[in-house]
Amino acid sequence: MRRARVDPDAPLIHHARGPPTRSRPIAQPSSPATAPVIALRGAGRTYGATVALHPTDLDFAVGDTTVLIGPSGCGKSTLLRLIVGLIEPTVGDVRLFDTPVTRQTAPALRRRMGYVIQAGGLFPHLTAGANAALMARHLGWSKAKRAERLTELAEQVHLPADLLERFPGELSGGQRQRVALMRALMLDPEVVLLDEPLGALDPMIRADLQVELKEVFQRLQKTVVMVTHDLAEAAWFADRIVLLRAGHIVQAGTLEDLTQRPADDFVTTFVNAQRSLHLEAS
């Protein structure tokens, strides 16, 4: 049975509710000429006695695509959540546009960030169009302005406009990810954060979306931070790859840096573990 449609113009209702210490050279962005859009300064996160991210210094430059990679539990998703303000650092600070990301500043700063979570995170009771326009409606955009922006974004992400009237359960995995990307881009943010956005897709759809997503990044010139487990995917997207292990940055650089100039044995082991992907440094 088809779900009843939710009126996208109805008002929103809000409900209340380790390793040894060592020096930390800053992992520089690949375009250091301008001030970083995002800066971590000694930012770390613990949960009781468990260290999710050791104190970390890391800059992200305007227009660069940085990919965070490493084994499960290495701290890459924690780092992304610190940037978006979903969690706060236990030590140090995170700055976005030179403003500390705190519980108080995060809501306003998030309007300058787009965030794509694993599996898209679409609301099943809203149509694709209503999902994509959720924040725009919350901010009071007119129906005409929302419709114009949806049409523009659907074209950019290669989503047929008629699919905007469908519910997430009526879309393929690739189509849902396109809608999630539209939602992240709706407010034209300066920064786009993506947490394993393509991990749940089958290889053919994933390959197509990789090409389309890279085209979007290059055309819009956003500052992009992406998390992935896949070194081939990281190499495809990244201006800079940041490899983490056990809450530490092990090495930051290009794929060629990791393959030809590894910082330590772990880097070589990590690269060799994915050798079946037939990576090539470009």
Side-chain angles (χ1 to χ4, degrees), residues 6-10 129 133 136-137 140-151 165 186:
V6 175
D7 180 7
D9 294 309
R137 178 166 62 93
W141 287 25
S142 69
K143 188 174 183 179
K145 183 178 179 181
R146 297 199 308 266
E148 180 181 2
R149 181 63 172 156
L150 285 173
T151 299
E165 295 301 315
M186 187 72 188

Side-chain angles (χ1 to χ4, degrees), residues 124-167:
H125 63 291
L126 296 177
T127 65
N131 265 286
L134 194 61
M135 273 304 298
R137 178 166 62 93
H138 173 64
L139 295 175
W141 287 25
S142 69
K143 188 174 183 179
K145 183 178 179 181
R146 297 199 308 266
E148 180 181 2
R149 181 63 172 156
L150 285 173
T151 299
E152 177 185 340
L153 289 172
E155 183 176 346
Q156 288 181 1
V157 303
H158 305 291
L159 183 77
D162 62 296
L163 297 185
L164 294 175
E165 295 301 315
R166 296 188 185 181
F167 290 97

Side-chain angles (χ1 to χ4, degrees), residues 56-138:
T56 297
D57 296 322
L58 187 62
D59 288 346
F60 300 82
V62 176
D64 269 8
T65 295
T66 300
V67 177
L68 309 176
I69 192 167
S72 296
C74 69
K76 54 189 183 294
S77 290
T78 298
L79 201 158
L80 201 68
R81 292 179 187 126
L82 286 170
I83 294 172
V84 81
L86 293 177
I87 57 175
E88 292 187 271
T90 311
V91 295
D93 69 356
V94 179
R95 289 179 173 265
L96 183 69
F97 310 108
D98 206 31
T99 300
V101 180
T102 65
R103 188 174 304 173
Q104 292 72 34
T105 63
L109 289 172
R110 285 190 196 118
R111 297 178 187 179
R112 304 177 69 178
M113 293 183 275
Y115 187 35
V116 180
I117 65 175
Q118 296 179 32
L122 301 181
F123 293 102
H125 63 291
L126 296 177
T127 65
N131 265 286
L134 194 61
M135 273 304 298
R137 178 166 62 93
H138 173 64

Side-chain angles (χ1 to χ4, degrees), residues 209-247:
L209 271 176
Q210 284 173 343
V211 172
E212 294 174 13
L213 201 53
K214 186 172 183 178
E215 289 175 354
V216 170
F217 293 165
Q218 291 176 336
R219 182 168 61 251
L220 299 181
Q221 290 296 294
K222 305 293 185 184
T223 300
V224 176
V225 185
M226 176 186 288
V227 166
T228 184
H229 282 90
D230 186 336
L231 187 55
E233 184 168 89
W236 171 253
F237 284 111
D239 296 304
R240 176 183 56 158
I241 299 170
V242 177
L243 176 61
L244 293 99
R245 180 193 188 193

Side-chain angles (χ1 to χ4, degrees), residues 181-201:
L181 181 60
M182 288 175 63
R183 183 171 62 186
L185 295 174
M186 187 72 188
L187 303 184
D188 195 19
E190 293 128 293
V191 174
V192 180
L193 309 173
L194 307 101
D195 192 354
E196 303 258 19
L198 308 179
L201 302 177

